[in-house]
Amino acid sequence: MTAPIQLLLIGAAGRMGLAITRLAGSGLVPGFRITAAVDSPSSPLMGKDVGVAAGLPPLGIAISSDLAAAIAAGPDVAIDFSAPAAAPATAEALANAGIPWVIGTTGLNDAEKAALQAAADRIPVMFAANTSLGINLLYVLVEQAARALRGRGYDCEITERHHRHKKDAPSGTALYLGRAAADGYQWNLAQTAVHGRSGITGERPEQQIGFHALRGGDIPGDHTVLFATDGETIELSHRATSRDTFAIGALRAAAWLPGRPPALYSMRDVLNLNPGGTS
Ligand code: NAD
């Protein structure tokens, strides 16, 4: 029997942290042991047993804000669904300790992305705005569709719907799918992205990818990529019905990452979805 993978959870008291705890801590996803659970000192769950917080029997791990102590517990890998501002300090601490890092936090600014990249020179880092298999398969399909439709007059628009608590817009996943469309069309995403429309906007130019973010209720995440031309539309959609799909993907990445050379990996690497994939 192989030893369980020792997990450090960062953002442990959040919606994703608790979903991962429910799956890994109960053995529903086997092969893991949670060795530390870190969150912000302002979390109302600070000091509580992370198992109990997730609706399980106690796991004997209190939610703490002490990342250094959590690292000293010797985890095999860290899974981080927290806040963008946390990324630079986490990057530094994990890289100094040589701990592989699965990070699913979205809404990172350029400096925070640079911190990830710098860490990836020293440790394996898997960053994904969406860890579900479905969205990563959709990425491949959207890129393929845009490549086939390139130069044929198909407009591309991306809509996303999320729960009312989500802090960033558009979602990291919508931007990820926009990247797939832009790559397929061979367009520059930054130059073609438009975020919402209002007022007298004029006619839509062809080289544009529109992003539209809806917020409400408890929607875990819906995304649709629309290709529209005269006489027909094509819609490629993904609907998450539970956060478990993201949690399962993150755990899959946590099992895959330890032992890899330092680099910035994607979920498509983990799932072997890249054309000519290497894993
Ligand atoms: P959440 O607000 O429920 O949880 C975030 C947690 O991080 C909170 O408990 C918060 O207290 C904690 N936190 C804040 N600053 C921290 C710090 N410095 N150190 C440690 N913990 C800190 O949010 P959520 O729904 O769990 O999502 C978390 C992040 O993951 C968001 O960026 C979200 O967009 C992203 N997300 C990604 C995926 C994916 O598949 N990659 C899926 C869902 C959510």
Side-chain angles (χ1 to χ4, degrees):
M1 215 176 76
T2 50
I5 296 165
Q6 314 276 325
L7 269 188
L8 157 57
L9 292 182
I10 302 173
R15 280 170 283 264
M16 280 304 302
L18 294 175
I20 292 166
T21 299
R22 257 192 307 277
L23 292 173
S26 64
L28 268 174
V29 175
F32 295 93
R33 179 178 299 136
I34 297 168
T35 55
V38 171
D39 206 285
S40 142
S42 62
S43 166
L45 295 179
M46 197 47 41
K48 295 228 158 64
D49 183 282
V50 70
V52 173
L56 301 175
L59 292 174
I61 302 292
I63 298 171
S64 148
S65 59
D66 191 344
L67 180 60
I71 286 173
D76 296 314
V77 58
I79 300 184
D80 179 356
F81 287 84
S82 58
T90 303
E92 186 63 17
L94 294 180
N96 286 342
I99 297 169
W101 186 22
V102 171
I103 169 161
T105 307
T106 63
L108 303 181
N109 64 25
D110 287 345
E112 290 152 358
K113 284 182 196 157
L116 244 74
Q117 189 61 63
D121 292 339
R122 302 166 62 198
I123 51 170
V125 178
M126 198 301 294
F127 169 70
N130 194 304
T131 49
S132 74
L133 190 152
I135 280 290
N136 288 283
L137 174 60
L138 191 64
Y139 179 101
V140 175
L141 298 175
V142 167
E143 184 179 11
Q144 192 181 344
R147 202 178 320 117
L149 299 173
R150 187 160 70 91
R152 298 176 191 246
Y154 282 73
D155 302 322
C156 181
E157 298 276 314
I158 298 176
T159 53
E160 56 104 333
R161 309 191 310 169
H162 277 90
H163 56 90
R164 64 166 75 92
H165 305 289
K166 184 160 178 62
K167 297 189 178 70
D168 53 322
S171 68
T173 302
L175 293 169
Y176 179 61
L177 295 172
R179 160 75 48 212
D183 285 356
Y185 278 133
Q186 297 181 8
W187 295 347
N188 180 309
L189 181 60
Q191 285 169 10
T192 50
V194 165
H195 296 284
R197 292 191 189 83
S198 171
I200 313 297
T201 58
E203 287 193 14
R204 185 193 196 287
E206 185 183 336
Q207 284 208 13
Q208 191 169 82
I209 298 176
F211 291 87
H212 310 277
L214 285 68
R215 293 289 175 266
D218 63 353
I219 304 167
D222 297 347
H223 293 85
T224 294
V225 181
L226 165 75
F227 294 99
T229 192
D230 296 340
E232 70 171 3
T233 59
I234 303 161
E235 291 181 51
L236 297 174
S237 294
H238 177 269
R239 176 164 296 174
T241 51
S242 146
R243 277 185 188 84
D244 285 2
T245 188
F246 312 129
I248 289 166
L251 287 165
R252 200 165 175 169
W256 180 88
L257 199 58
R260 306 262 162 193
L264 187 56
Y265 297 97
S266 75
M267 204 60 206
R268 298 195 309 287
D269 296 319
V270 176
L271 297 168
N272 204 14
L273 288 174
N274 283 321
T278 51
S279 56

